[in-house]
Amino acid sequence: NAEEMITELPMGSETQIRMRVIADQVDRLIDISAKLLLLSQADANSIKVQLESLDLSQLVWNWTQDARSFDERIEIKHSIEPHISCQGDRLLLLQVMQNLYTNAINYNSDEAWLRITLKQQAGELLLCFENPSEVIPADFLDRAFDRFYRGPEALSKGIKGYGLGLSLCQEIAKVHGGSITINTAHDRVWITLILPTTT
């Protein structure tokens, strides 16, 4: 209804602007509700997983091409090993990629680049998102997966979010028999989704 009213109201009017704000807030409430629902399902060990045989290389490559249109200000580099397959839930894995992408964009530096790497190593599949970051909180490694945790720069930079993205990624990794790891240098962050290989 809000979206319909936006199109019906005079362009640029105060009422149209206020209705746009309402519609945006509704979208945010829908988003956070969906995330909280998924986390509550994780707590109850009841996340519904639709496993299928996936060409993970193709899935990541397609997503990377789409991501280039999300924000042209960011340079997306990639190194995707071909013919990597896994048993996974397509929608949940796409959500992990979107969450890691959003995290990398929000906390990027002025260099504005992101490197996505997919490879198979020691019997595991590694999907890594690497980005430069000017400020890495001292407690980041200890609290990154805490629900609602947001670094101090989130407020100072006006970064939108709820502090739920990495928690969701962790839970999605778990239901796939995998995990999420984080490594940092003084100006670099690597977040890696680790999945078991298809047997």
Side-chain angles (χ1 to χ4, degrees):
N1 288 336
E3 294 290 351
E4 286 181 4
M5 289 187 69
I6 289 170
T7 62
E8 295 169 359
L9 290 166
M11 185 65 67
S13 67
E14 181 181 350
T15 305
Q16 188 193 49
I17 293 171
R18 290 174 63 189
M19 188 55 63
R20 178 73 267 169
V21 171
I22 291 172
D24 289 345
Q25 290 299 320
V26 170
D27 285 340
R28 293 187 69 189
L29 285 171
I30 291 170
D31 184 38
I32 193 171
S33 297
K35 289 177 178 177
L36 288 171
L37 175 60
L38 187 57
L39 286 171
S40 69
Q41 290 173 339
D43 290 340
N45 295 317
S46 61
I47 292 181
K48 296 179 181 178
V49 183
Q50 302 291 329
L51 292 179
E52 60 180 303
S53 181
L54 297 174
D55 183 336
L56 190 59
S57 298
Q58 190 66 49
L59 186 68
V60 174
W61 190 89
N62 289 343
W63 186 91
T64 302
Q65 303 312 303
D66 291 341
R68 287 197 165 97
S69 65
F70 293 163
D71 189 341
E72 295 181 355
R73 295 171 299 176
I74 194 83
E75 179 188 3
I76 299 181
K77 311 170 185 179
H78 64 79
S79 175
I80 300 172
E81 188 175 310
H83 310 304
I84 291 181
S85 299
C86 74
Q87 288 292 318
D89 184 305
R90 179 184 300 271
L91 293 180
L92 290 179
L93 292 179
L94 286 172
Q95 183 169 358
V96 169
M97 286 186 265
Q98 183 62 44
N99 287 356
L100 295 184
Y101 170 84
T102 300
N103 197 73
I105 298 305
N106 285 344
Y107 297 95
N108 216 290
S109 70
D110 291 338
E111 297 177 57
W113 59 264
L114 163 64
R115 179 178 289 110
I116 300 172
T117 303
L118 174 67
K119 63 182 179 180
Q120 186 167 326
Q121 178 177 297
E124 295 177 323
L125 310 180
L126 308 178
L127 175 61
C128 180
F129 282 60
E130 173 192 355
N131 65 277
S133 184
E134 295 172 353
V135 180
I136 301 174
D139 62 349
F140 178 64
L141 291 178
D142 294 328
R143 301 195 57 198
F145 296 112
D146 291 354
R147 296 176 189 182
F148 300 106
Y149 168 75
R150 301 179 74 212
E153 72 278 10
L155 292 177
S156 63
K157 290 185 176 181
I159 296 173
K160 295 180 180 180
Y162 319 106
L164 295 174
L166 290 180
S167 297
L168 282 170
C169 290
Q170 186 179 55
E171 297 299 340
I172 292 171
K174 286 179 182 177
V175 298
H176 283 84
S179 61
I180 293 274
T181 64
I182 300 178
N183 293 290
T184 63
H186 70 284
D187 63 350
R188 198 73 55 84
V189 177
W190 296 264
I191 304 182
T192 304
L193 169 66
I194 303 173
L195 297 174
T197 58
T198 303
T199 55

